[in-house]
Amino acid sequence: MANTFGQLFRITTWGESHGGGVGVVVDGCPPRLKLSEADVQPDLDRRRPGQSSIVTSRKETDAVQILSGTFEGKTLGTPISMWVKNEDQRSEAYNEMAEKFRPSHADYTYLAKFGIRAWPGGGRTSARETIGRVAAGAVPKKILREQFGVEVLAYVKQVQRIVGEVDPAKVRLKDVESNIVRCPDKSAAQKMIRLIEKARQAGDSVGGIIEGVAPQRAAGLGRTGV
């Protein structure tokens, strides 16, 4: 898995699940963009663990700090470094994993490639690594929204065989945030939640599909979706 993505706009994520913290360096952001922690924190709050019964129970505040690249609330055009401290570290809970490989994880892959791995929490193969990507994504989301009227959204489209009926051109953030599974189709969402809770009680898991869209909310660019 690569750590750096992009060309003109580049991000490099760093940190391990049970290290001192995780973060990202953003390079290529234009200068004079108004940017503060308040612009990034809402997206990190949305991915924060412990929000409901259907996500991981790890307790983290995920409070972001901008360490470089801004001055007096505006970007300088230089690399922006953002950091989130790890607070709920219980490495002892993973002692068994020091000698065993978890199925459906990259434990063995890292050991085979590098000859060493950070087994507490999975190191960089933990979902905690996504903090850097989420923080970085908040920057171009702000640019697209304020300068081009494009709002980037993502939501749960499907869980196992349950498919939500969603119009990509009309979906709004409030629709996505209306339930804990973040599916804008409220009827399908309730079915998804029941299915996930049933699988959790059985010690199992279910897969799903996330749909991302970038509908145009104002004049400027044409509507796009993925």
Side-chain angles (χ1 to χ4, degrees):
M1 178 172 68
N3 304 306
T4 301
F5 305 87
Q7 296 296 325
L8 296 179
F9 186 92
R10 295 176 299 281
I11 73 168
T12 299
T13 65
W14 53 266
E16 291 78 38
S17 177
H18 284 249
V22 290
V24 65
V25 175
V26 176
D27 194 10
C29 177
R32 299 186 302 279
L33 172 72
K34 290 184 179 180
L35 185 70
S36 69
E37 284 89 350
D39 295 305
V40 180
Q41 194 62 52
D43 281 349
L44 289 176
D45 289 342
R46 294 184 70 232
R47 74 149 302 281
R48 182 171 52 83
Q51 296 184 53
S52 70
S53 61
I54 64 172
V55 300
T56 178
S57 58
R58 180 169 176 169
K59 300 298 182 182
E60 297 280 2
T61 59
D62 287 353
V64 65
Q65 295 182 49
I66 297 178
L67 304 178
S68 69
T70 64
F71 179 68
E72 295 183 340
K74 294 183 179 180
T75 58
L76 294 167
T78 57
I80 302 168
S81 181
M82 292 182 276
W83 176 60
V84 169
K85 183 180 180 181
N86 288 334
E87 297 175 327
D88 184 13
Q89 301 181 62
R90 292 172 287 110
S91 298
E92 66 278 2
Y94 295 87
N95 286 342
E96 187 178 6
M97 305 308 170
E99 299 179 356
K100 296 181 180 179
F101 300 116
R102 292 172 293 176
S104 301
H105 286 71
D107 294 27
Y108 176 75
T109 306
Y110 256 68
L111 183 62
K113 183 175 183 179
F114 299 113
I116 187 172
R117 66 188 176 101
W119 49 264
R124 280 188 60 72
T125 64
S126 166
R128 193 145 183 80
E129 185 270 347
T130 62
I131 282 179
R133 306 184 193 212
V134 172
V139 179
K141 277 180 63 177
K142 179 181 175 71
I143 295 173
L144 288 170
R145 181 177 62 252
E146 294 184 355
Q147 297 186 15
F148 301 101
V150 174
E151 184 179 13
V152 179
L153 293 173
Y155 47 84
V156 173
K157 174 70 174 180
Q158 181 175 342
V159 172
Q160 206 178 67
R161 295 183 179 87
I162 302 173
V163 182
E165 295 296 327
V166 183
D167 185 345
K170 296 181 179 180
V171 66
R172 296 292 190 274
L173 180 60
K174 66 177 183 179
D175 303 322
V176 180
E177 295 295 292
S178 64
N179 55 76
I180 60 175
V181 78
R182 293 194 168 105
C183 174
D185 183 338
K186 295 182 179 180
S187 177
Q190 295 307 310
K191 296 177 182 177
M192 292 174 180
I193 293 170
R194 289 195 293 268
L195 175 62
I196 294 170
E197 290 177 337
K198 183 178 179 180
R200 188 181 185 92
Q201 292 171 3
D204 203 353
S205 61
V206 291
I209 295 175
I210 305 296
E211 187 169 71
V213 296
Q216 181 189 12
R217 305 302 191 197
L221 299 176
R223 188 177 71 230
T224 61
V226 293

